[in-house]
Amino acid sequence: MTTVRVPAGWPVTEEQARAVQDELRGRVVLDEPGPPPGTGRVTGVDVAYDDARNLVAAAAVVLDAATLEVVAEATAVGPVPFPYVPGLLAFREIPAVLAALEALPCPPGLVVCDGYGLAHPRRFGLAGHLGVLTGLPTIGVAKNPFTFVYDDPDPARGSVSPLLAGTEEVGRALRTRDAVKPVFVSVGHRVSLDNACAHTLALTPRYRLPETTRRADASCRRALRDATTDHSAASG
């Protein structure tokens, strides 16, 4: 497990964070298809919080895209570097997520975030932010539609409907299990929306959520438990 320190100059106010979003948003690449689904490696990233101790734990879990077997994983724990502000959650998570990615022993390939990319009020969620900072292809697969609207997709697995901000399609509601609530897919960086949906389907052979998210969620929760247990033992 890597210990994370807040980077020098990290934003501390909403105004500073929005200025960073404005600066980086223009660097998002939306005209690349991204890697083909089922090839190479695909990595899930996720975070867990201990609010009482002001800690955030991040995990990066690499899967073989063809078999969905775990290839490698890494975790990182550190202080929460930014207050909770809707639309600015990336500033709470990115230092730990970057540390986990950097601790991996192999290239991550496509990165799948438990959250949003273009489907964000400022069109720059965690997946876009992380993609721009790393240069990696990224997508967001979220559990809910945030502030956006959609028509319920047909009941069959693989059905989609546009996720809309007014008339703008910012992502898609994608049915990953027959007659089960959809997930909400949006592009982050260097991946098309069609390909992002195809990857999500390839990563959901049994459950509603991608295997990348399921594995990363379990890993970051374990890392947080270990860190808080160590903290309690040290202070006891």
Side-chain angles (χ1 to χ4, degrees):
M1 186 191 313
T2 300
T3 301
V4 183
R5 301 190 184 281
V6 179
W10 195 251
V12 296
T13 67
E14 293 182 38
E15 182 180 21
Q16 290 171 346
R18 291 194 177 99
V20 170
Q21 283 183 332
D22 289 341
E23 176 189 354
L24 297 181
R25 185 173 52 235
R27 303 184 195 177
V28 171
V29 174
L30 299 175
D31 60 355
E32 291 185 18
T39 65
R41 296 186 180 115
V42 60
T43 295
V45 295
D46 201 4
V47 301
Y49 293 95
D50 184 323
D51 293 327
R53 295 182 174 87
N54 195 46
L55 288 177
V56 57
V61 181
V62 186
L63 305 184
D64 180 289
T67 66
L68 302 186
E69 294 297 319
V70 175
V71 174
E73 63 181 285
T75 58
V77 176
V80 179
F82 195 81
Y84 175 80
V85 181
L88 298 177
L89 299 188
F91 293 93
R92 293 167 62 83
E93 302 181 359
I94 280 200
V97 170
L98 286 176
L101 285 170
E102 289 166 1
L104 289 171
C106 58
L110 174 80
V111 177
V112 181
C113 299
D114 178 25
Y116 308 93
L118 196 64
H120 179 273
R122 296 168 64 80
R123 305 299 182 267
F124 195 64
L126 173 65
H129 201 147
L130 188 64
V132 167
L133 292 181
T134 62
L136 295 167
T138 57
I139 66 173
V141 182
K143 300 179 185 73
N144 62 67
F146 203 9
T147 59
F148 305 107
V149 299
Y150 68 100
D151 291 329
D152 204 36
D154 290 339
R157 167 177 159 84
S159 299
V160 297
S161 65
L163 188 63
L164 297 172
T167 59
E168 179 188 1
E169 184 180 44
V170 295
R172 287 183 190 149
L174 170 65
R175 192 88 67 187
T176 55
R177 303 293 297 157
D178 289 350
V180 171
K181 182 183 175 183
V183 297
F184 302 91
V185 180
S186 57
V187 300
H189 184 62
R190 300 181 57 207
V191 183
S192 70
L193 185 54
D194 285 345
N195 209 7
C197 290
H199 275 286
T200 304
L201 281 176
L203 291 166
T204 51
R206 297 178 60 194
Y207 300 101
R208 175 183 176 235
L209 296 179
E211 286 301 302
T212 40
T213 298
R214 286 166 39 79
R215 302 295 182 92
D217 174 75
S219 182
C220 68
R221 290 176 187 274
R222 283 195 303 270
L224 188 62
R225 282 196 303 270
D226 291 346
T228 52
T229 299
D230 292 345
H231 183 275
S232 297
S235 60

